Amino acid sequence: MQKVKLPLTVDPIRAAQKRSDYDGIITANLLERLAESTQSVNSDASVTLTFDIDNQRLVVLHGKASVSVDLECQRCGDAYTHSYEVEFFYSPLRNPEKADELPEAYEPIEIDENGEISLLQLIEDELMVALPQVAMHDEVDCKVSSDNLVFGEIPSADERPNPFAVLESLKHSNKE
Ligand SMILES: [Zn+2]
């Protein structure tokens, strides 16, 4: 089944009043910032969105997005495919000063002067934030086994007494 393209902007208040649901895609070519942060974007982003008004009468947006990208493994240098999903809860606000009053579960997002929010920007931000800090293969898939890695390893301390310490004590005893 071919998925519909998501609108790039939406009026969240109207969408919430209509209890709108979206199930669609953002095509890979639009995810330019994500492409710059990765080796390549391999798939369109699949997105589901639900707009609602909660029992505190807040407009809320609950969504999930998934995508597949290529990343460069920081251990062996090869590219590998990373597929992942993000989930987010937003409350679109006309007045950003109200952000402090929001329940912690919701992130604020400002409604622009046209009464809209940018779905492309919101979803791309979420996908970028969720990229791994250090891209790495799963250990079993990586060319460099962790046994060969030395960084962060402190060689076990030598238990024998330091020969120089013995000399020091001899010197001191000779002086007396
Ligand atoms: Zn690797």
Side-chain angles (χ1 to χ4, degrees), residues 77-118:
D78 278 3
Y80 72 103
T81 300
H82 179 60
S83 301
Y84 64 111
E85 183 178 72
V86 294
E87 183 172 16
F88 44 86
F89 294 87
Y90 280 93
S91 185
L93 299 174
R94 280 194 186 285
N95 180 356
E97 285 165 22
K98 295 262 187 202
D100 294 341
E101 298 165 24
L102 274 187
E104 257 180 56
Y106 305 145
E107 283 194 66
I109 182 167
E110 198 179 337
I111 300 172
D112 70 15
E113 63 277 10
N114 302 317
E116 296 189 318
I117 55 173
S118 166

Coordinates of all heavy atoms in Angstrom, one line a residue, residues 77-118:
G77 N 35.2 2.1 11.0 CA 35.2 3.0 9.8 C 34.3 2.6 8.7 O 34.1 3.4 7.8
D78 N 33.6 1.4 8.8 CA 32.7 1.0 7.8 C 31.3 1.6 8.0 O 31.0 1.9 9.1 CB 32.6 -0.5 7.8 CG 33.7 -1.2 7.0 OD1 34.6 -0.5 6.5 OD2 33.7 -2.4 6.9
A79 N 30.6 1.7 6.9 CA 29.2 2.2 7.0 C 28.3 1.1 7.5 O 28.6 -0.1 7.2 CB 28.7 2.8 5.7
Y80 N 27.3 1.4 8.2 CA 26.3 0.4 8.6 C 24.9 1.1 8.6 O 24.8 2.3 8.7 CB 26.6 -0.3 9.9 CG 26.5 0.6 11.1 CD1 25.4 0.4 12.0 CD2 27.4 1.6 11.4 CE1 25.2 1.2 13.1 CE2 27.2 2.4 12.6 CZ 26.2 2.2 13.4 OH 26.0 3.0 14.5
T81 N 23.9 0.2 8.5 CA 22.5 0.8 8.5 C 21.9 0.8 9.9 O 22.0 -0.2 10.6 CB 21.7 -0.1 7.5 OG1 22.3 -0.1 6.2 CG2 20.2 0.4 7.4
H82 N 21.3 1.9 10.2 CA 20.8 2.1 11.5 C 19.3 2.5 11.3 O 19.0 3.5 10.7 CB 21.5 3.2 12.2 CG 21.0 3.6 13.6 ND1 21.0 2.7 14.6 CD2 20.5 4.7 14.1 CE1 20.5 3.3 15.7 NE2 20.2 4.5 15.4
S83 N 18.4 1.6 11.7 CA 16.9 1.9 11.6 C 16.4 2.2 13.0 O 16.8 1.4 14.0 CB 16.2 0.7 11.0 OG 16.7 0.4 9.8
Y84 N 15.7 3.2 13.2 CA 15.2 3.5 14.5 C 13.9 4.3 14.5 O 13.5 4.7 13.5 CB 16.3 4.4 15.3 CG 16.6 5.7 14.7 CD1 16.3 6.9 15.3 CD2 17.3 5.8 13.4 CE1 16.6 8.1 14.8 CE2 17.6 7.0 12.9 CZ 17.3 8.2 13.6 OH 17.6 9.4 13.0
E85 N 13.3 4.4 15.7 CA 12.0 5.0 15.8 C 12.1 6.0 17.0 O 12.7 5.8 18.0 CB 10.9 4.0 16.1 CG 9.5 4.6 16.2 CD 8.4 3.6 16.5 OE1 8.4 3.1 17.6 OE2 7.7 3.3 15.5
V86 N 11.4 7.2 16.8 CA 11.3 8.1 17.9 C 9.8 8.3 18.2 O 8.9 8.1 17.4 CB 11.9 9.5 17.5 CG1 13.4 9.4 17.3 CG2 11.2 10.1 16.2
E87 N 9.6 8.7 19.5 CA 8.2 9.0 19.9 C 8.2 10.3 20.6 O 9.2 10.6 21.3 CB 7.7 7.9 20.8 CG 6.3 8.1 21.3 CD 5.7 6.9 22.1 OE1 6.5 6.1 22.5 OE2 4.5 6.8 22.2
F88 N 7.2 11.1 20.4 CA 7.2 12.5 21.0 C 5.8 13.0 21.4 O 4.8 12.5 20.8 CB 7.9 13.5 20.0 CG 7.4 13.3 18.6 CD1 6.3 14.0 18.1 CD2 8.1 12.5 17.7 CE1 5.9 13.8 16.8 CE2 7.7 12.3 16.4 CZ 6.6 13.0 15.9
F89 N 5.8 13.8 22.3 CA 4.6 14.5 22.8 C 4.8 16.0 22.8 O 5.7 16.4 23.5 CB 4.2 14.0 24.2 CG 3.9 12.6 24.3 CD1 4.8 11.6 24.5 CD2 2.5 12.2 24.3 CE1 4.5 10.3 24.6 CE2 2.2 10.8 24.4 CZ 3.2 9.9 24.6
Y90 N 4.0 16.7 22.1 CA 4.2 18.2 22.1 C 2.8 18.8 22.4 O 1.8 18.2 22.2 CB 4.6 18.7 20.7 CG 6.0 18.5 20.4 CD1 6.5 17.4 19.7 CD2 6.9 19.5 20.7 CE1 7.8 17.2 19.4 CE2 8.3 19.4 20.4 CZ 8.7 18.2 19.8 OH 10.1 18.1 19.5
S91 N 3.0 20.0 23.0 CA 1.8 20.9 23.1 C 2.0 22.2 22.4 O 2.9 22.9 22.8 CB 1.5 21.1 24.6 OG 0.3 21.8 24.7
P92 N 1.3 22.3 21.2 CA 1.5 23.6 20.5 C 1.0 24.8 21.2 O -0.1 24.7 21.8 CB 0.8 23.3 19.2 CG 0.5 21.8 19.1 CD 0.4 21.4 20.6
L93 N 1.8 25.8 21.3 CA 1.3 27.0 22.1 C 1.4 28.3 21.2 O 2.3 28.5 20.4 CB 2.3 27.2 23.3 CG 2.5 26.1 24.3 CD1 3.6 26.5 25.3 CD2 1.1 26.0 25.1
R94 N 0.4 29.1 21.4 CA 0.4 30.4 20.8 C 1.3 31.4 21.5 O 2.0 32.2 20.9 CB -1.0 31.0 20.8 CG -1.9 30.5 19.7 CD -3.1 31.4 19.6 NE -4.1 30.7 18.6 CZ -3.9 30.7 17.3 NH1 -2.8 31.3 16.8 NH2 -4.8 30.1 16.5
N95 N 1.3 31.2 22.8 CA 2.1 32.1 23.7 C 3.3 31.3 24.3 O 3.0 30.5 25.2 CB 1.2 32.7 24.7 CG 2.0 33.6 25.6 OD1 3.2 33.8 25.5 ND2 1.3 34.3 26.5
P96 N 4.5 31.5 23.8 CA 5.6 30.7 24.3 C 5.9 30.8 25.8 O 6.5 30.0 26.5 CB 6.8 31.1 23.5 CG 6.4 32.4 22.9 CD 4.9 32.4 22.8
E97 N 5.4 32.0 26.4 CA 5.6 32.2 27.8 C 4.8 31.2 28.7 O 5.0 31.0 29.8 CB 5.2 33.6 28.2 CG 6.2 34.6 27.8 CD 5.7 36.0 27.8 OE1 4.8 36.3 28.5 OE2 6.3 36.9 27.1
K98 N 3.8 30.6 28.1 CA 3.0 29.6 28.8 C 3.8 28.2 28.9 O 3.3 27.3 29.6 CB 1.7 29.3 28.0 CG 0.8 30.5 27.9 CD -0.3 30.4 29.0 CE -1.3 31.5 28.8 NZ -2.0 31.8 30.1
A99 N 4.9 28.1 28.3 CA 5.7 26.9 28.3 C 6.0 26.4 29.7 O 6.0 25.2 29.9 CB 6.9 27.0 27.4
D100 N 6.2 27.3 30.6 CA 6.5 26.9 32.0 C 5.4 26.2 32.6 O 5.6 25.5 33.6 CB 6.9 28.2 32.8 CG 8.2 28.8 32.3 OD1 8.9 28.1 31.6 OD2 8.4 30.0 32.5
E101 N 4.2 26.5 32.2 CA 3.0 25.9 32.9 C 2.7 24.5 32.3 O 1.8 23.9 32.8 CB 1.8 26.8 32.7 CG 2.0 28.2 33.3 CD 1.0 29.2 32.8 OE1 -0.1 28.8 32.4 OE2 1.3 30.4 32.9
L102 N 3.4 24.1 31.3 CA 3.0 22.8 30.7 C 3.4 21.7 31.6 O 4.4 21.7 32.3 CB 3.8 22.6 29.4 CG 3.2 23.2 28.1 CD1 4.1 22.7 27.0 CD2 1.8 22.8 27.9
P103 N 2.6 20.6 31.6 CA 3.0 19.4 32.3 C 4.3 18.9 31.7 O 4.5 19.1 30.5 CB 1.8 18.4 32.0 CG 0.7 19.2 31.5 CD 1.2 20.5 31.0
E104 N 5.1 18.2 32.5 CA 6.4 17.8 32.0 C 6.4 16.8 30.8 O 7.3 16.8 30.1 CB 7.2 17.1 33.2 CG 8.2 18.0 33.8 CD 8.9 17.4 34.9 OE1 9.5 16.3 34.7 OE2 8.9 17.9 36.1
A105 N 5.3 16.1 30.7 CA 5.2 15.1 29.7 C 5.2 15.7 28.3 O 5.5 15.1 27.3 CB 3.9 14.3 29.9
Y106 N 4.9 17.0 28.2 CA 4.8 17.7 26.9 C 5.9 18.6 26.7 O 6.3 19.4 27.5 CB 3.5 18.5 26.8 CG 2.2 17.7 27.0 CD1 1.1 18.3 27.6 CD2 2.1 16.4 26.6 CE1 -0.1 17.7 27.9 CE2 0.9 15.7 26.9 CZ -0.2 16.4 27.5 OH -1.3 15.7 27.8
E107 N 6.4 18.6 25.4 CA 7.3 19.6 25.0 C 6.6 20.8 24.3 O 5.6 20.5 23.6 CB 8.4 19.1 24.0 CG 9.4 18.2 24.7 CD 10.6 18.0 23.7 OE1 11.3 19.0 23.4 OE2 10.8 16.9 23.3
P108 N 7.0 22.0 24.6 CA 6.3 23.1 23.9 C 6.7 23.2 22.5 O 7.9 22.9 22.2 CB 6.7 24.3 24.8 CG 8.0 24.0 25.3 CD 8.0 22.5 25.5
I109 N 5.8 23.7 21.6 CA 6.2 24.0 20.3 C 5.4 25.3 19.9 O 4.2 25.3 20.2 CB 6.1 22.9 19.3 CG1 6.5 23.4 17.9 CG2 4.6 22.4 19.2 CD1 6.7 22.3 16.9
E110 N 6.1 26.3 19.4 CA 5.4 27.5 19.2 C 4.6 27.5 17.8 O 5.1 27.0 16.8 CB 6.4 28.7 19.1 CG 5.8 30.0 19.3 CD 6.8 31.1 19.3 OE1 8.0 30.9 19.6 OE2 6.4 32.3 19.0
I111 N 3.4 28.0 17.9 CA 2.6 28.1 16.7 C 3.0 29.4 16.0 O 3.1 30.5 16.6 CB 1.1 28.2 17.1 CG1 0.7 26.9 17.8 CG2 0.2 28.4 15.9 CD1 -0.7 26.9 18.4
D112 N 3.2 29.4 14.7 CA 3.7 30.6 14.0 C 2.6 31.5 13.7 O 1.4 31.3 14.0 CB 4.5 30.2 12.8 CG 3.6 29.6 11.6 OD1 2.4 29.8 11.7 OD2 4.2 29.0 10.7
E113 N 2.9 32.6 13.1 CA 1.9 33.7 12.9 C 0.8 33.3 11.9 O -0.3 33.9 11.9 CB 2.6 35.0 12.3 CG 3.3 34.9 11.0 CD 4.7 34.3 11.0 OE1 5.1 33.8 12.1 OE2 5.4 34.3 10.0
N114 N 1.0 32.2 11.2 CA -0.1 31.7 10.4 C -1.0 30.6 11.1 O -1.8 30.0 10.5 CB 0.5 31.0 9.1 CG 1.3 32.0 8.3 OD1 0.9 33.2 8.1 ND2 2.4 31.6 7.8
G115 N -0.7 30.5 12.4 CA -1.4 29.5 13.1 C -1.0 28.0 12.9 O -1.7 27.1 13.1
E116 N 0.2 27.9 12.4 CA 0.7 26.5 12.0 C 2.0 26.2 12.7 O 2.7 27.0 13.2 CB 0.9 26.5 10.5 CG -0.4 26.7 9.7 CD -0.2 26.5 8.2 OE1 0.8 26.9 7.6 OE2 -1.1 25.8 7.6
I117 N 2.3 24.9 12.7 CA 3.6 24.3 13.1 C 4.2 23.6 11.9 O 3.4 23.1 11.1 CB 3.5 23.4 14.3 CG1 2.5 22.3 14.1 CG2 3.1 24.2 15.6 CD1 2.5 21.2 15.2
S118 N 5.5 23.5 11.8 CA 6.2 22.8 10.8 C 6.4 21.4 11.2 O 7.2 21.1 12.1 CB 7.5 23.5 10.4 OG 8.3 22.6 9.6

